[in-house]
Amino acid sequence: MLNGTIDLHLHSTCSDGKESPEELIESAVAEGYEIISITDHDTVAAIPRAIQAAEGSNLEVIPGIELSSVDGVDDVHILGYFIDYTAPEFQKRIEFFKKKRRERADEIVHNLNQLGLDIQFDTVLRLAHGAPIGRPHIAEALLSEELVTTYGEAFNRYIGQDGPAYVPKYKVEPEEAINLIHDNGGVSILAHPGILDRDELIFELKEVGLGGIEAIHPFHVYEKQVYYEELAKNHGLLFTGGSDWHGQGRSSHFRKLINARKVPRESIEAMKSFVKSRKQSGNQAV
Ligand code: AMP
Ligand code: ZN
Ligand code: FE
Ligand code: FE
Protein backbone atom coordinates (compact mmCIF):
# COMPACT_ATOMS: atom_id res chain seq x y z
CA MET A 1 0.00 0.00 0.00
CA LEU A 2 1.07 3.55 -0.57
CA ASN A 3 1.91 6.00 2.13
CA GLY A 4 -1.48 5.98 3.80
CA THR A 5 -4.87 5.56 2.22
CA ILE A 6 -6.55 8.65 3.59
CA ASP A 7 -6.07 11.97 1.85
CA LEU A 8 -8.21 14.88 2.95
CA HIS A 9 -6.78 17.60 0.73
CA LEU A 10 -7.11 17.29 -3.04
CA HIS A 11 -7.87 19.88 -5.71
CA SER A 12 -9.74 19.22 -8.93
CA THR A 13 -10.49 21.08 -12.15
CA CYS A 14 -13.44 22.60 -10.28
CA SER A 15 -10.83 24.93 -8.77
CA ASP A 16 -7.18 24.91 -9.79
CA GLY A 17 -6.31 21.22 -9.96
CA LYS A 18 -5.40 19.52 -13.21
CA GLU A 19 -7.58 16.41 -12.83
CA SER A 20 -11.36 16.24 -12.92
CA PRO A 21 -13.23 14.93 -9.85
CA GLU A 22 -13.92 11.74 -11.80
CA GLU A 23 -10.24 11.26 -12.63
CA LEU A 24 -9.23 11.83 -9.02
CA ILE A 25 -11.77 9.27 -7.82
CA GLU A 26 -10.76 6.78 -10.47
CA SER A 27 -7.13 6.84 -9.40
CA ALA A 28 -7.97 6.88 -5.69
CA VAL A 29 -10.08 3.74 -6.19
CA ALA A 30 -7.42 2.12 -8.36
CA GLU A 31 -4.76 2.87 -5.76
CA GLY A 32 -6.84 1.46 -2.91
CA TYR A 33 -7.55 4.65 -1.00
CA GLU A 34 -10.10 4.36 1.82
CA ILE A 35 -11.19 7.95 2.37
CA ILE A 36 -10.62 11.11 0.37
CA SER A 37 -11.89 14.67 0.34
CA ILE A 38 -11.73 17.07 -2.58
CA THR A 39 -11.19 20.46 -0.99
CA ASP A 40 -11.39 22.88 -3.86
CA HIS A 41 -10.79 26.57 -3.24
CA ASP A 42 -14.07 28.35 -2.50
CA THR A 43 -16.24 25.89 -4.40
CA VAL A 44 -18.15 22.67 -3.74
CA ALA A 45 -18.81 21.85 -7.40
CA ALA A 46 -16.63 18.72 -7.26
CA ILE A 47 -18.47 17.10 -4.35
CA PRO A 48 -21.56 15.61 -6.03
CA ARG A 49 -19.45 14.50 -8.99
CA ALA A 50 -16.92 12.81 -6.70
CA ILE A 51 -19.63 11.10 -4.66
CA GLN A 52 -21.27 9.82 -7.81
CA ALA A 53 -17.99 8.63 -9.27
CA ALA A 54 -17.21 6.70 -6.08
CA GLU A 55 -20.56 4.91 -6.04
CA GLY A 56 -20.21 1.15 -5.95
CA SER A 57 -16.63 1.34 -4.70
CA ASN A 58 -15.28 1.10 -1.17
CA LEU A 59 -13.99 4.65 -1.28
CA GLU A 60 -15.55 7.07 1.20
CA VAL A 61 -15.83 10.64 -0.06
CA ILE A 62 -16.07 13.35 2.57
CA PRO A 63 -17.56 16.68 1.46
CA GLY A 64 -14.86 19.32 1.72
CA ILE A 65 -13.83 22.84 0.78
CA GLU A 66 -10.79 25.08 1.27
CA LEU A 67 -11.94 28.59 2.03
CA SER A 68 -9.57 31.48 1.43
CA SER A 69 -9.39 34.03 4.19
CA VAL A 70 -6.97 36.78 5.03
CA ASP A 71 -5.48 37.93 8.32
CA GLY A 72 -3.35 41.04 7.94
CA VAL A 73 -1.08 40.25 5.01
CA ASP A 74 -1.36 36.50 5.42
CA ASP A 75 -3.48 34.11 3.39
CA VAL A 76 -5.22 31.86 5.88
CA HIS A 77 -6.77 28.77 4.33
CA ILE A 78 -9.56 27.14 6.28
CA LEU A 79 -10.60 23.64 5.35
CA GLY A 80 -14.20 22.63 5.96
CA TYR A 81 -15.29 19.00 6.17
CA PHE A 82 -18.76 17.43 6.40
CA ILE A 83 -20.37 20.70 5.33
CA ASP A 84 -23.94 20.73 4.12
CA TYR A 85 -22.77 21.83 0.71
CA THR A 86 -26.26 22.05 -0.76
CA ALA A 87 -27.49 24.67 1.74
CA PRO A 88 -28.69 27.71 -0.27
CA GLU A 89 -27.17 30.28 2.10
CA PHE A 90 -23.82 28.55 1.90
CA GLN A 91 -23.93 28.35 -1.88
CA LYS A 92 -24.92 32.00 -2.10
CA ARG A 93 -21.96 33.13 -0.05
CA ILE A 94 -19.41 31.11 -1.99
CA GLU A 95 -20.92 32.33 -5.28
CA PHE A 96 -20.19 35.83 -4.03
CA PHE A 97 -16.57 34.87 -3.30
CA LYS A 98 -16.36 33.51 -6.83
CA LYS A 99 -17.58 36.79 -8.28
CA LYS A 100 -14.97 38.66 -6.27
CA ARG A 101 -12.24 36.32 -7.52
CA ARG A 102 -13.27 37.00 -11.09
CA GLU A 103 -13.04 40.76 -10.56
CA ARG A 104 -9.63 40.36 -8.97
CA ALA A 105 -8.36 38.18 -11.83
CA ASP A 106 -9.49 40.85 -14.27
CA GLU A 107 -7.43 43.40 -12.32
CA ILE A 108 -4.35 41.16 -12.31
CA VAL A 109 -4.65 40.71 -16.08
CA HIS A 110 -4.94 44.47 -16.42
CA ASN A 111 -1.73 44.89 -14.39
CA LEU A 112 0.04 42.34 -16.57
CA ASN A 113 -1.07 44.27 -19.66
CA GLN A 114 0.33 47.44 -18.12
CA LEU A 115 3.62 45.60 -17.70
CA GLY A 116 3.56 44.96 -21.45
CA LEU A 117 2.46 41.33 -21.36
CA ASP A 118 -0.01 40.41 -24.05
CA ILE A 119 -2.46 38.27 -22.13
CA GLN A 120 -6.23 38.27 -22.44
CA PHE A 121 -8.76 37.80 -19.67
CA ASP A 122 -10.66 35.45 -22.00
CA THR A 123 -7.69 33.09 -22.03
CA VAL A 124 -7.75 32.95 -18.24
CA LEU A 125 -11.51 32.41 -18.25
CA ARG A 126 -11.20 29.58 -20.73
CA LEU A 127 -8.51 27.88 -18.64
CA ALA A 128 -10.61 28.22 -15.49
CA HIS A 129 -13.48 26.13 -16.98
CA GLY A 130 -16.03 27.91 -14.81
CA ALA A 131 -14.02 27.47 -11.58
CA PRO A 132 -13.40 30.30 -9.12
CA ILE A 133 -10.41 32.00 -10.75
CA GLY A 134 -7.13 31.76 -8.88
CA ARG A 135 -3.62 32.85 -9.66
CA PRO A 136 -2.80 29.31 -10.86
CA HIS A 137 -5.14 29.90 -13.83
CA ILE A 138 -3.34 33.14 -14.60
CA ALA A 139 0.00 31.35 -14.34
CA GLU A 140 -1.31 28.75 -16.81
CA ALA A 141 -2.41 31.51 -19.17
CA LEU A 142 1.05 33.13 -19.02
CA LEU A 143 2.56 29.73 -19.75
CA SER A 144 0.22 29.01 -22.64
CA GLU A 145 1.06 32.39 -24.20
CA GLU A 146 4.75 31.57 -23.69
CA LEU A 147 5.24 34.71 -21.62
CA VAL A 148 6.94 32.61 -18.96
CA THR A 149 8.77 29.32 -19.32
CA THR A 150 7.59 27.70 -16.08
CA TYR A 151 4.57 27.88 -13.85
CA GLY A 152 6.78 28.97 -10.94
CA GLU A 153 8.26 31.81 -12.97
CA ALA A 154 4.79 33.35 -13.33
CA PHE A 155 4.62 33.66 -9.55
CA ASN A 156 8.23 34.65 -9.03
CA ARG A 157 8.22 37.39 -11.65
CA TYR A 158 4.67 38.68 -11.75
CA ILE A 159 1.84 37.36 -9.63
CA GLY A 160 3.46 36.22 -6.37
CA GLN A 161 2.58 38.24 -3.31
CA ASP A 162 5.53 40.58 -3.93
CA GLY A 163 5.10 40.57 -7.68
CA PRO A 164 4.27 43.72 -9.68
CA ALA A 165 0.91 42.40 -10.94
CA TYR A 166 -0.31 41.02 -7.61
CA VAL A 167 -3.73 42.03 -6.38
CA PRO A 168 -4.94 40.80 -2.98
CA LYS A 169 -8.14 38.81 -2.74
CA TYR A 170 -11.42 40.10 -1.37
CA LYS A 171 -10.91 40.03 2.36
CA VAL A 172 -12.71 37.29 4.24
CA GLU A 173 -11.73 37.11 7.91
CA PRO A 174 -10.74 33.64 9.17
CA GLU A 175 -13.54 33.93 11.71
CA GLU A 176 -16.10 34.35 8.95
CA ALA A 177 -14.78 31.27 7.16
CA ILE A 178 -14.96 29.26 10.38
CA ASN A 179 -18.49 30.44 11.08
CA LEU A 180 -19.62 29.73 7.55
CA ILE A 181 -18.41 26.15 7.88
CA HIS A 182 -19.90 25.62 11.32
CA ASP A 183 -23.22 27.26 10.48
CA ASN A 184 -23.50 24.69 7.71
CA GLY A 185 -22.86 21.62 9.79
CA GLY A 186 -19.13 21.22 9.15
CA VAL A 187 -15.87 21.24 11.05
CA SER A 188 -13.17 23.81 10.36
CA ILE A 189 -9.50 22.93 10.11
CA LEU A 190 -6.66 25.40 9.65
CA ALA A 191 -4.83 24.30 6.49
CA HIS A 192 -1.03 23.88 6.44
CA PRO A 193 -0.22 25.89 9.59
CA GLY A 194 3.48 25.36 8.90
CA ILE A 195 3.27 27.48 5.73
CA LEU A 196 1.49 30.19 7.67
CA ASP A 197 3.99 29.85 10.51
CA ARG A 198 1.97 31.86 13.00
CA ASP A 199 1.14 29.37 15.70
CA GLU A 200 -0.37 32.03 17.97
CA LEU A 201 -3.13 32.34 15.37
CA ILE A 202 -4.12 28.71 16.00
CA PHE A 203 -5.02 29.62 19.57
CA GLU A 204 -6.78 32.82 18.56
CA LEU A 205 -8.87 30.92 16.03
CA LYS A 206 -9.63 28.18 18.53
CA GLU A 207 -11.29 30.88 20.63
CA VAL A 208 -13.66 31.61 17.74
CA GLY A 209 -14.44 27.95 17.11
CA LEU A 210 -11.63 26.44 15.03
CA GLY A 211 -11.99 22.66 15.21
CA GLY A 212 -8.49 21.55 14.30
CA ILE A 213 -5.32 21.87 12.26
CA GLU A 214 -3.86 20.13 9.25
CA ALA A 215 -0.75 18.58 10.76
CA ILE A 216 0.14 16.32 7.86
CA HIS A 217 0.98 18.27 4.73
CA PRO A 218 3.79 17.94 2.16
CA PHE A 219 5.20 21.35 3.03
CA HIS A 220 5.69 20.26 6.65
CA VAL A 221 8.84 18.27 7.27
CA TYR A 222 8.35 15.11 9.31
CA GLU A 223 9.25 16.79 12.62
CA LYS A 224 6.81 19.61 11.91
CA GLN A 225 4.03 17.11 11.34
CA VAL A 226 4.74 15.44 14.67
CA TYR A 227 4.92 18.87 16.30
CA TYR A 228 1.47 19.88 14.99
CA GLU A 229 -0.06 16.53 15.90
CA GLU A 230 1.22 16.98 19.45
CA LEU A 231 0.10 20.60 19.54
CA ALA A 232 -3.40 19.52 18.48
CA LYS A 233 -3.55 16.73 21.04
CA ASN A 234 -2.33 18.99 23.83
CA HIS A 235 -4.83 21.74 23.11
CA GLY A 236 -8.03 19.85 22.43
CA LEU A 237 -7.88 20.33 18.67
CA LEU A 238 -8.44 17.78 15.94
CA PHE A 239 -5.73 17.09 13.40
CA THR A 240 -5.98 16.01 9.79
CA GLY A 241 -3.79 15.73 6.75
CA GLY A 242 -3.60 15.52 3.02
CA SER A 243 -1.38 15.97 0.03
CA ASP A 244 -2.76 19.27 -1.36
CA TRP A 245 -2.50 17.60 -4.74
CA HIS A 246 -3.11 19.92 -7.69
CA GLY A 247 -1.77 17.61 -10.40
CA GLN A 248 1.65 16.76 -11.68
CA GLY A 249 3.89 19.80 -12.00
CA ARG A 250 1.77 22.00 -9.77
CA SER A 251 2.93 23.51 -6.51
CA SER A 252 2.40 20.49 -4.31
CA HIS A 253 2.63 17.43 -6.48
CA PHE A 254 3.21 15.04 -3.63
CA ARG A 255 0.09 12.93 -3.72
CA LYS A 256 1.92 9.84 -2.63
CA LEU A 257 4.46 11.55 -0.47
CA ILE A 258 3.21 13.31 2.56
CA ASN A 259 6.49 12.93 4.35
CA ALA A 260 5.84 9.49 5.70
CA ARG A 261 3.10 10.25 8.19
CA LYS A 262 -0.29 8.64 7.75
CA VAL A 263 -3.59 10.31 8.37
CA PRO A 264 -5.14 8.09 11.04
CA ARG A 265 -8.69 6.82 10.77
CA GLU A 266 -9.29 8.22 14.24
CA SER A 267 -8.97 11.72 12.80
CA ILE A 268 -12.04 11.08 10.68
CA GLU A 269 -13.94 9.50 13.57
CA ALA A 270 -13.07 12.50 15.75
CA MET A 271 -14.36 14.91 13.11
CA LYS A 272 -17.57 12.92 12.80
CA SER A 273 -18.08 13.10 16.57
CA PHE A 274 -17.34 16.83 16.49
CA VAL A 275 -20.00 17.61 13.88
CA LYS A 276 -22.48 15.25 15.51
CA SER A 277 -22.12 16.85 18.92
CA ARG A 278 -22.49 20.32 17.42
CA LYS A 279 -25.69 19.23 15.72
CA GLN A 280 -27.02 17.74 18.94
CA SER A 281 -26.24 20.90 20.88
CA GLY A 282 -28.28 22.81 18.30
CA ASN A 283 -25.31 24.99 17.52
CA GLN A 284 -26.06 24.94 13.86
CA ALA A 285 -28.31 26.85 11.51
CA VAL A 286 -30.95 24.44 10.27
P1 AMP B 1 -5.05 32.61 -5.08
O1 AMP B 1 -5.99 31.97 -4.12
O2 AMP B 1 -5.70 32.99 -6.35
O3 AMP B 1 -4.30 33.77 -4.45
O4 AMP B 1 -3.94 31.52 -5.48
C1 AMP B 1 -3.28 30.83 -4.48
C2 AMP B 1 -2.70 29.55 -5.06
O5 AMP B 1 -1.64 29.87 -5.94
C3 AMP B 1 -2.09 28.66 -3.99
O6 AMP B 1 -3.04 27.79 -3.42
C4 AMP B 1 -1.04 27.91 -4.76
O7 AMP B 1 -1.63 26.80 -5.44
C5 AMP B 1 -0.61 28.90 -5.83
N1 AMP B 1 0.62 29.63 -5.46
C6 AMP B 1 0.74 30.70 -4.65
N2 AMP B 1 2.02 31.13 -4.59
C7 AMP B 1 2.73 30.30 -5.39
C8 AMP B 1 4.11 30.22 -5.76
N3 AMP B 1 5.01 31.08 -5.30
N4 AMP B 1 4.47 29.24 -6.62
C9 AMP B 1 3.56 28.37 -7.11
N5 AMP B 1 2.25 28.39 -6.79
C10 AMP B 1 1.84 29.34 -5.95
ZN1 ZN C 1 -4.92 25.57 -5.09
FE1 FE D 1 -4.05 26.04 0.86
FE1 FE E 1 -5.04 23.40 -1.05
Side-chain angles (χ1 to χ4, degrees):
M1 202 54 82
L2 301 170
N3 176 32
T5 57
I6 298 177
D7 190 331
L8 301 179
H9 194 154
L10 303 170
H11 293 275
S12 78
T13 46
C14 293
S15 68
D16 56 353
K18 276 170 63 168
E19 292 164 35
S20 68
E22 291 78 11
E23 285 166 334
L24 285 172
I25 296 301
E26 192 186 329
S27 44
V29 170
E31 292 169 29
Y33 278 67
E34 288 175 52
I35 307 174
I36 63 105
S37 185
I38 299 180
T39 51
D40 277 317
H41 302 281
D42 301 330
T43 174
V44 290
I47 301 174
R49 289 173 58 180
I51 291 173
Q52 198 187 4
E55 253 172 44
S57 76
N58 291 324
L59 181 69
E60 182 178 344
V61 177
I62 293 175
I65 192 165
E66 184 173 19
L67 289 174
S68 307
S69 73
V70 177
D71 183 78
V73 294
D74 295 318
D75 275 334
V76 178
H77 290 177
I78 309 281
L79 295 159
Y81 296 109
F82 297 105
I83 30 165
D84 179 4
Y85 60 95
T86 59
E89 282 305 309
F90 183 73
Q91 300 232 348
K92 209 171 122 192
R93 192 68 187 145
I94 58 175
E95 268 307 311
F96 173 77
F97 297 157
K98 185 175 174 182
K99 185 175 135 237
K100 287 293 178 193
R101 274 185 171 276
R102 188 187 159 116
E103 290 168 9
R104 174 228 197 189
D106 200 13
E107 284 180 48
I108 294 178
V109 168
H110 180 76
N111 289 349
L112 290 166
N113 294 154
Q114 294 286 314
L115 291 165
L117 299 175
D118 187 15
I119 170 185
Q120 312 300 323
F121 186 57
D122 276 352
T123 310
V124 178
L125 267 188
R126 188 162 38 79
L127 289 165
H129 298 289
I133 307 172
R135 285 179 288 157
H137 301 118
I138 299 173
E140 285 293 344
L142 287 168
L143 250 183
S144 76
E145 300 292 340
E146 297 180 358
L147 295 165
V148 292
T149 51
T150 64
Y151 179 81
E153 187 191 341
F155 283 90
N156 295 337
R157 284 184 69 180
Y158 302 114
I159 60 172
Q161 209 163 28
D162 301 321
Y166 179 73
V167 175
K169 276 192 294 263
Y170 169 75
K171 193 165 176 356
V172 178
E173 301 281 346
E175 188 173 353
E176 181 190 344
I178 291 169
N179 286 335
L180 190 59
I181 291 162
H182 287 184
D183 289 348
N184 289 284
V187 50
S188 61
I189 304 285
L190 176 67
H192 40 70
I195 298 181
L196 188 62
D197 201 21
R198 284 181 51 194
D199 290 354
E200 82 289 351
L201 192 67
I202 297 173
F203 305 111
E204 286 171 31
L205 296 181
K206 183 170 183 270
E207 292 302 311
V208 296
L210 184 73
I213 57 177
E214 186 181 48
I216 301 163
H217 186 278
F219 287 179
H220 298 166
V221 295
Y222 184 92
E223 293 74 17
K224 216 43 214 224
Q225 300 187 12
V226 177
Y227 165 80
Y228 281 121
E229 276 187 38
E230 292 300 318
L231 186 149
K233 285 176 187 161
N234 292 334
H235 293 87
L237 287 160
L238 304 167
F239 75 89
T240 65
S243 61
D244 212 349
W245 170 253
H246 284 77
Q248 202 66 45
R250 290 281 170 90
S251 56
S252 35
H253 50 269
F254 302 100
R255 176 117 172 253
K256 295 163 193 165
L257 176 81
I258 43 182
N259 298 342
R261 302 213 43 93
K262 289 181 178 164
V263 182
R265 247 188 176 283
E266 296 80 61
S267 282
I268 282 85
E269 300 310 323
M271 284 200 289
K272 286 181 179 170
S273 302
F274 181 98
V275 295
K276 204 168 143 195
S277 70
R278 281 184 64 89
K279 275 188 183 139
Q280 278 165 354
S281 69
N283 209 355
Q284 184 213 351
V286 189

